[in-house]
């Protein structure tokens, strides 16, 4: 019976593609990689499913066959393929894009591989003893009869020629069978810049090479060998175990020289895999400040919470629990105990954290408790490190995986527990295709695996709180800090008054300066938060009122050190102009300020203080972030200035003062989550104070001391905040009360973008399955009406959560009806922000 495989190819906008499985292949596993023809190209894809059909479908004229099978088994575990397909369906992206997001880096790159006949294979060839081999393998071995090594891609096309097929042949699959039979060697070698494995490469003489080396030793002359190549052969003849290729390079025989010898069949290069250990690098450096060795005695609240959660684990089926614990209540200890229970019961745990900066600490804690069977996965690792960690997980060598968003796809096979720490955090949502929310994907994964998902936060998202209140999630609360430490005392400084009395340029108010002085004087530490980077946030002309804007985006440039002005969206940069680019006037003034300016200000007011800064500019260099955090944790810094990066998760026991330079940064934004974000950020950062023996305090500078999100954050009253916020969401019909879909339409001009958006909106209106089931709002200019040189319009779909599927289908159907717009529309399901 013909077999059809549906294959996900990593190409935007392409659905699953159907290919025939040639009769010579075994049935491919879901999750195996295959080479397939696509137009005139050959691409690597991933098998989603295979089915047998009684006869070829009627469209068989167009049906093309799989060209090669790259894996005997599933490369991606089957449940990960299934999860990726769910992501593709729910978040409206191409299946191949979702599969690529779930796979490790370099999964789709066939590194340069070379095939050589073994002495055994050579003997069989010489004796023409290939009768027992299937025709494909026999033909393959004959291709290699000349005794030379070939790159696998060349081998594929020669095999095709030998078989009289056009183009290419399933060489990889044939080779794996021949390799298992001991007839060929396939080595990954020579000049692969982006090697999938870290390897030391060892060169060895082939039997033919040994003959040539012996001839050389006896003084025979061999054609076409340079002096360095001859020297290399002699050296190899004296080294029965081979020589590392780096040694050969020391003998001034480069990659090319080796490659030529290999292609003449005189040597092979074997690779020895060396696992790259990210814990040895900057990510594993001791970040200090955390007591790792001791296992603390649980507080009564922790004990109660763990009991309830372990009961859920014991049920061994899908459950979701919301662990609402105030800052410093010891949530991490709860995760550790749950993971330990999970491991003792033969299952694995996945621990997700929102920020790369938090993985080293979390991973170190787990390593301290669990030993080396802990892996990490995040985008700050090099491709190679990530790949190696992925392989360890794939081989079942770990019990716990700690990582950021993409670790939700880690290939563990016995999943029992997923922890999503700081579940409310916006970084769980990917802001590129596929626009998935790692927390929500984690819940789906837990469902499929029959696992427990624990969402932890001091400030749960309104979505999760809503589910918990409706009884869909089990609610576990920790409302007291460990060791009965008090929450920080918070005071607000009304900056309107401060500006009136001290002038408009004030960065640090008087109470803030006093607080910092006192704390530093007592040898304690200070965290200063401002969620905005740079020196000043705009350059403004006093003559014409113009600002210096990005030529590509609808925003002002931000001034950074050394007189540069930078766009925070597209990275465009220029020198700060001396004269106004609009009117030529010379009255340019800088307004607003960011973290760089705060750092400078602190240095001016406290020349003896040791000051560090943590924001995206300060940590561009790999490892810089852990370095700053480690210095602060060790007490080598008195003051740390930073963006939201300093607010999350960290546990610095010596911090007794947290200063918020401006609580209002996010409040003015036209986003329905503005208040929620502000509340969360303030609560989190205030929660960094007083986590050691000494009680902490926080000073919050604001222009709106009466705004409810600032008021409730200062009294650290989550309950009061959500009540008020839910009333607003209900009144305005925003999530979690409704489901939201956002579509951004780009165009060469604003008019074109709006016109295209209007086409889509009209199509959706006409095709609505049940009128009134959901609303279509817009189109309207997007808040960032121009970005990276493109004009942007947007529209929304709003409806009851149960209508989400119909809303998604309606948008996709509209796009399908306007294929010319496909590349210009981005659809965002459950947007985390509508800016
Ligand atoms: P959260 O994530 O809830 O803000 P953490 O998990 O970071 O809090 O814990 C805060 C601090 O309390 C950490 O230093 C942790 O080691 C410590 N801790 C946790 N549980 C206990 C306990 N039962 N007894 C003493 N210290 C604890
Ligand atoms: Zn720009």
């Amino acid at each position: 019976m013909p077999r059809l495989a549906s294959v996900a190819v990593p190409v935007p906008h392409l659905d699953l593609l159907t290919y025939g499985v040639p009769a010579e292949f075994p049935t491919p596993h879901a999750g195996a990689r295959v080479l397939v023809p696509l137009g005139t190209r050959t691409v690597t894809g991933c098998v989603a499913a295979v089915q047998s059909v009684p006869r070829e479908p009627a469209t068989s004229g167009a049906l093309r066959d799989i060209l090669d099978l790259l894996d005997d088994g599933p490369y991606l575990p089957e449940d990960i393929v299934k999860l990726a397909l769910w992501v593709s369906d729910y978040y409206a992206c191409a299946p191949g894009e979702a599969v690529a997001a779930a796979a490790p880096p370099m999964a789709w790159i066939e590194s340069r591989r070379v095939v050589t006949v073994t002495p055994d294979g050579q003997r069989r060839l010489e004796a023409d003893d290939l009768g027992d081999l299937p025709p494909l393998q026999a033909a393959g071995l004959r291709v290699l009869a000349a005794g030379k090594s070939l790159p696998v891609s060349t081998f594929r096309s020669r095999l095709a020629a030998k078989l009289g097929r056009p183009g290419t042949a399933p060489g990889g699959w044939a080779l794996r069978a021949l390799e298992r039979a001991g007839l060929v060697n396939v080595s990954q070698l020579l000049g692969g810049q982006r090697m999938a494995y870290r390897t030391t490469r060892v060169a060895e003489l082939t039997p033919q090479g040994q003959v040539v080396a012996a001839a050389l030793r006896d003084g025979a002359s061999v054609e076409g060998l340079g002096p360095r190549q001859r020297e290399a052969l002699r050296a190899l003849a004296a080294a029965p175990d081979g020589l590392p290729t780096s040694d050969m390079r020391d003998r001034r025989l480069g990659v090319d020289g080796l490659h030529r010898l290999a292609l003449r069949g005189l040597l092979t290069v074997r690779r020895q895999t060396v696992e790259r250990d990210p814990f040895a690098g900057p990510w594993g450096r001791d970040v200090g400040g955390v007591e790792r060795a001791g296992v603390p005695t649980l507080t009564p609240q922790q004990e109660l919470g763990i009991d309830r959660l372990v009961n859920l684990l014991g049920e061994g089926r899908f459950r979701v629990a919301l662990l609402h614990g105030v800052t410093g209540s010891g949530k991490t200890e709860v995760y550790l105990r749950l993971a330990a229970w999970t491991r003792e019961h033969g299952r694995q745990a996945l621990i997700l954290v929102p920020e790369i900066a938090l993985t080293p600490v979390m991973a170190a804690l787990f390593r301290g408790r669990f030993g080396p069977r802990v892996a990490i996965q995040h985008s700050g690792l090099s491709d190679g490190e990530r790949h190696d960690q992925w392989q360890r997980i794939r081989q079942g060598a770990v019990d716990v995986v700690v990582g950021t968003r993409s670790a939700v796809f880690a290939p563990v096979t016995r999943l029992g527990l997923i922890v999503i720490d700081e579940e409310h955090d916006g970084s769980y949502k990917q802001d590129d295709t596929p626009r998935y929310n790692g927390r929500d994907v984690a819940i789906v994964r837990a469902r499929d695996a029959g696992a427990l998902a624990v969402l932890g936060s001091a400030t749960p998202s309104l979505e999760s709180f809503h589910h918990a209140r409706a009884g869909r999630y089990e609610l576990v609360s920790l409302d007291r800090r460990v060791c009965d430490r008090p929450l920080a005392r918070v005071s607000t400084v009304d900056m309107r008054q401060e500006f009136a009395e001290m002038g408009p340029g004030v960065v640090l108010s008087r109470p803030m300066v006093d607080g910092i002085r006192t704390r530093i004087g007592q040898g304690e530490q200070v965290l200063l938060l401002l969620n905005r980077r740079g020196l000043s946030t705009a350059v403004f002309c006093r003559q014409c009122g113009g600002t210096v804007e990005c030529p590509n985006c609808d925003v002002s440039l931000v001034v950074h050190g050394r007189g540069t002005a930078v766009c925070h969206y597209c990275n465009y940069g220029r020198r700060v102009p001396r004269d106004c680019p609009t009117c030529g006037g010379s009255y340019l003034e800088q307004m607003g300020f960011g973290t760089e300016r705060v750092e400078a200000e602190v240095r001016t007011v406290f020349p003896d203080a040791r000051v560090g800064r943590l924001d995206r500019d300060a940590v561009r260099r790999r490892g810089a972030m852990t370095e700053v955090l480690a210095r602060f944790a060790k007490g080598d810094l008195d003051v740390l200035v930073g963006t939201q990066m300093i607010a999350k998760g960290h546990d610095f026991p010596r911090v007794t003062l947290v200063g918020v330079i401006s609580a209002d940064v996010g409040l003015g934004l036209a986003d329905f989550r503005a208040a929620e974000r502000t509340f969360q950020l303030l609560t989190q950062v205030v929660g960094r104070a007083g986590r050691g023996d000494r009680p902490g305090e926080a000073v919050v500078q604001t222009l709106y001391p009466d705004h409810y999100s600032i008021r409730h954050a200062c009294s650290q009253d989550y309950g009061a905040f959500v009540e008020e916020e839910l009333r607003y969401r209900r009144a305005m019909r925003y999530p979690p009360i409704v489901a939201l879909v956002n579509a951004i339409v780009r165009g060469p001009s604003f008019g074109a973008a709006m016109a295209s958006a209007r086409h889509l909106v009209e199509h959706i209106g006409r095709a609505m399955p049940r009128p009134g089931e959901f609303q279509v709002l817009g189109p309207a200019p997007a808040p960032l009406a121009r970005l990276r040189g493109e004009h942007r319009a947007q529209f929304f779909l709003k409806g009851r959560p149960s209508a989400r599927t119909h809303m998604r289908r309606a948008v996709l159907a509209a796009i399908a009806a306007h294929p010319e717009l496909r590349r210009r529309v981005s659809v965002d399901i459950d947007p985390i922000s509508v800016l």
Side-chain angles (χ1 to χ4, degrees):
M1 270 203 292
R3 292 165 302 171
L4 301 179
S6 44
V7 176
V9 291
V11 176
H13 311 296
L14 275 188
D15 211 341
L16 290 176
L17 301 177
T18 304
Y19 291 93
V21 180
E24 63 206 350
F25 285 160
T27 300
H29 282 266
R33 291 168 303 171
V34 288
L35 281 191
V36 291
L38 183 69
T40 56
R41 289 186 294 162
T42 300
V43 299
T44 312
C46 177
V47 175
V50 180
Q51 61 171 151
S52 299
V53 289
R55 71 181 75 81
E56 294 230 332
T59 56
S60 67
L63 188 71
R64 298 168 84 180
D65 277 350
I66 287 176
L67 299 174
D68 201 356
L69 190 53
L70 301 186
D71 302 294
D72 291 326
Y75 175 77
L76 288 181
E78 209 169 327
D79 54 330
I80 299 296
V81 176
K82 191 174 158 217
L83 189 65
L85 294 178
W86 180 87
V87 164
S88 133
D89 179 50
Y90 187 90
Y91 291 104
C93 69
E97 291 176 301
V99 168
M106 292 180 286
W108 314 110
I109 298 167
E110 248 218 316
S111 321
R112 282 172 71 182
R113 294 185 305 155
V114 170
V115 51
T116 320
V117 191
T118 61
D120 208 19
Q122 199 71 45
R123 261 193 304 282
R124 299 272 297 267
L125 270 168
E126 275 156 24
D128 199 18
D129 169 24
L130 307 182
D132 60 328
L133 293 178
L136 184 68
Q137 295 173 30
L141 205 53
R142 288 209 173 87
V143 167
L144 297 165
K148 292 187 178 174
S149 299
L150 290 178
V152 170
S153 49
T154 312
F155 172 81
R156 260 197 202 103
S157 46
R158 294 222 181 134
L159 179 60
K162 189 157 217 114
L163 296 170
R165 299 189 189 191
T168 183
W173 180 64
L175 286 178
R176 274 199 313 285
L178 287 169
E179 200 176 19
R180 273 196 303 272
L183 303 176
V184 304
N185 264 326
V186 181
S187 46
Q188 187 132 359
L189 58 98
L190 297 186
Q193 292 279 308
R194 288 157 50 93
M195 198 70 79
Y197 296 85
R198 160 116 171 255
T199 51
T200 53
R201 285 169 287 178
V202 178
E204 267 174 342
L205 290 181
T206 59
Q208 213 180 331
Q210 281 164 8
V211 174
V212 172
L216 283 174
R217 195 185 50 219
D218 299 343
S221 72
V222 179
E223 293 266 308
L225 283 182
R228 284 192 203 134
Q229 292 177 322
R230 260 178 268 162
E231 166 56 24
L233 291 179
R234 254 182 242 123
L236 283 170
D241 291 330
L243 288 174
T245 54
S246 53
D247 270 26
M248 313 285 295
R249 260 195 295 284
D250 293 346
R251 289 164 211 263
R252 299 196 299 152
L253 185 73
V255 168
D256 278 354
L258 274 178
H259 200 58
R260 252 175 270 131
L261 288 177
L263 287 180
R264 280 182 70 149
L266 300 183
L267 61 78
T268 60
V269 177
R270 170 164 61 79
R271 69 190 155 95
Q272 273 169 358
T273 313
V274 188
E275 186 190 300
R276 282 157 288 212
D277 183 2
F279 293 98
W283 297 107
R285 188 178 303 154
D286 189 349
V287 273
V290 189
E291 184 55 60
R292 238 162 254 143
V295 178
T297 314
L298 297 174
T299 66
Q301 279 202 333
Q302 280 173 324
E303 196 146 0
L304 225 69
I306 290 170
D307 270 356
R308 285 180 56 202
L309 292 167
V310 161
N311 271 336
L312 296 183
L313 273 175
E315 291 179 14
R317 64 190 172 96
F318 168 54
R319 295 298 299 265
V320 183
L322 177 61
L323 177 62
H324 178 199
V326 298
T327 55
S329 58
K331 293 186 286 295
T332 312
E333 188 59 36
V334 175
Y335 308 151
L336 284 161
R337 301 289 174 109
L338 297 179
W341 192 96
T342 305
R343 179 171 72 158
E344 278 156 28
H345 290 76
R347 294 179 82 176
Q348 294 159 302
L350 209 54
I351 314 293
L352 303 185
V353 293
E355 185 100 5
I356 293 175
L358 296 177
T359 42
V361 186
M362 192 66 98
L365 279 168
F366 276 87
R367 276 216 152 183
R369 204 69 68 87
F370 292 75
R373 289 178 58 87
V374 175
I376 57 181
Q377 283 279 286
H378 62 73
S379 57
L381 300 178
S382 71
D383 279 356
E385 285 170 338
R386 235 163 103 196
H387 183 272
D388 291 355
Q389 292 285 307
W390 191 88
Q391 289 295 349
R392 281 183 70 211
I393 302 166
R394 184 74 181 94
Q395 285 152 15
V398 304
D399 301 316
V400 178
V401 179
V402 178
T404 46
R405 177 179 63 225
S406 65
V408 73
F409 299 110
V412 298
T413 47
R414 292 171 284 112
L415 188 65
L417 169 72
I418 307 188
V419 169
I420 302 102
D421 190 25
E422 314 286 357
E423 63 86 27
H424 62 276
D425 200 293
S427 354
Y428 280 118
K429 175 92 174 177
Q430 176 149 305
D431 56 10
D432 257 319
T433 314
R435 295 168 195 275
Y436 66 95
N437 186 321
R439 173 197 61 207
D440 298 339
V441 177
I443 291 171
V444 171
R445 184 160 186 197
R447 183 195 68 196
D448 291 350
L452 172 68
V454 175
L455 315 183
S457 177
T459 53
S461 62
L462 269 89
E463 278 79 359
S464 300
F465 179 79
H466 193 59
H467 286 312
R469 203 157 63 168
R472 286 186 288 273
Y473 296 172
E474 191 81 11
L475 180 64
V476 177
S477 303
L478 308 174
D479 59 11
R480 307 179 59 170
R481 284 188 157 181
V482 299
C483 309
D484 285 318
R485 283 172 200 145
L487 286 167
R489 191 164 42 78
V490 187
S491 52
T492 48
V493 179
D494 186 340
M495 289 306 278
R496 289 169 301 192
Q497 210 172 326
E498 196 70 13
F499 290 149
E501 291 170 25
M502 306 296 293
V506 177
V507 174
L508 303 174
S509 64
R510 290 162 294 178
M512 190 70 87
V513 170
D514 291 345
I516 299 174
R517 179 170 296 124
T518 311
R519 297 302 172 172
I520 301 184
Q522 295 171 357
E524 298 165 10
Q525 289 180 309
V526 178
L527 277 179
L528 293 181
L529 170 88
L530 178 62
N531 207 12
R532 198 160 56 194
R533 293 178 287 136
L535 274 175
S536 54
T537 45
V539 181
F540 161 84
C541 173
R542 270 200 287 160
Q543 191 160 298
C544 73
T547 54
V548 179
E549 306 230 318
C550 174
N552 312 315
C553 310
D554 213 4
V555 294
S556 323
L557 296 181
V558 175
V559 180
H560 285 255
R562 293 193 218 95
T564 54
V566 180
C567 170
H568 279 190
Y569 288 90
C570 74
N571 254 337
Y572 166 88
R574 60 169 293 174
R575 297 204 61 74
V576 178
R578 239 171 14 123
D579 301 323
C580 174
T582 315
C583 70
S586 54
Y587 302 99
L588 286 183
E589 212 170 88
Q590 301 193 1
M591 310 189 314
F593 57 86
T595 40
E596 260 179 72
R597 175 74 192 288
V598 176
E599 183 191 2
E601 197 78 16
V602 175
R603 286 184 194 281
T604 310
V605 182
F606 303 100
D608 296 332
R610 297 163 301 169
V611 186
R613 180 161 59 91
L614 200 66
D615 58 29
R616 255 199 289 153
D617 302 313
V619 299
R620 284 197 200 286
R621 185 171 51 79
R622 186 169 132 90
M625 173 150 40
T626 30
E627 219 169 273
V628 177
L629 288 172
R631 284 177 63 206
F632 191 64
K634 267 211 309 245
D636 292 347
L637 293 173
D638 303 307
V639 180
L640 184 59
V641 179
T643 53
Q644 36 83 24
M645 277 186 188
I646 63 169
K648 297 178 185 176
H650 307 292
D651 192 38
F652 299 118
R654 268 173 289 197
V655 170
T656 50
L657 171 64
V658 165
V660 178
I661 303 298
S662 167
D664 317 327
V665 172
L667 269 188
L669 301 175
D671 194 304
F672 70 92
R673 279 187 222 271
E676 181 183 2
R677 287 252 181 70
T678 299
F679 176 83
Q680 286 164 345
L681 182 61
L682 291 180
T683 311
Q684 292 290 338
V685 74
V686 165
R688 298 311 109 201
R691 296 166 73 93
D693 301 330
R694 300 194 195 176
E697 70 168 317
V699 175
V700 177
Q701 303 184 163
T702 173
L703 290 171
Y704 313 103
D706 300 325
H707 190 285
Y708 68 101
S709 67
I710 293 179
R711 239 180 332 109
H712 294 317
C714 289
S715 57
Q716 302 182 54
D717 190 345
Y718 176 80
F721 172 76
V722 281
E723 289 314 327
E724 204 151 332
E725 182 66 8
L726 271 175
R727 264 206 302 281
Y728 158 76
R729 302 281 178 96
R730 197 165 281 126
M732 303 299 291
R733 301 195 71 242
Y734 274 122
I737 310 303
V738 300
L740 202 60
V741 173
N742 175 225
I744 299 265
V745 186
R746 296 177 296 271
S749 70
F750 177 63
M754 281 295 281
S756 305
R758 208 166 291 120
H759 285 313
L760 296 174
V761 166
E762 280 162 11
H763 187 281
I764 294 170
R766 276 198 307 275
M768 191 173 298
R770 265 174 262 148
E773 187 185 15
F774 52 82
Q775 283 173 285
V776 190
L777 307 171
L784 254 171
R786 208 157 56 94
L787 185 64
R788 297 183 191 96
E790 288 176 312
H791 294 263
R792 294 154 26 106
Q794 71 174 0
F795 62 88
F796 289 100
L797 275 59
K798 242 185 203 185
R800 271 216 293 273
S802 57
R804 191 187 273 107
T805 309
H806 285 171
M807 288 157 55
R808 190 173 63 234
R809 292 215 184 111
V811 181
L812 291 181
I815 297 172
H818 291 273
E820 76 284 1
L821 296 181
R822 211 168 51 182
R823 281 165 210 288
R824 293 175 31 199
V825 188
S826 313
V827 179
D828 192 355
I829 312 288
D830 303 338
I832 196 79
S833 145
V834 295
L835 286 184

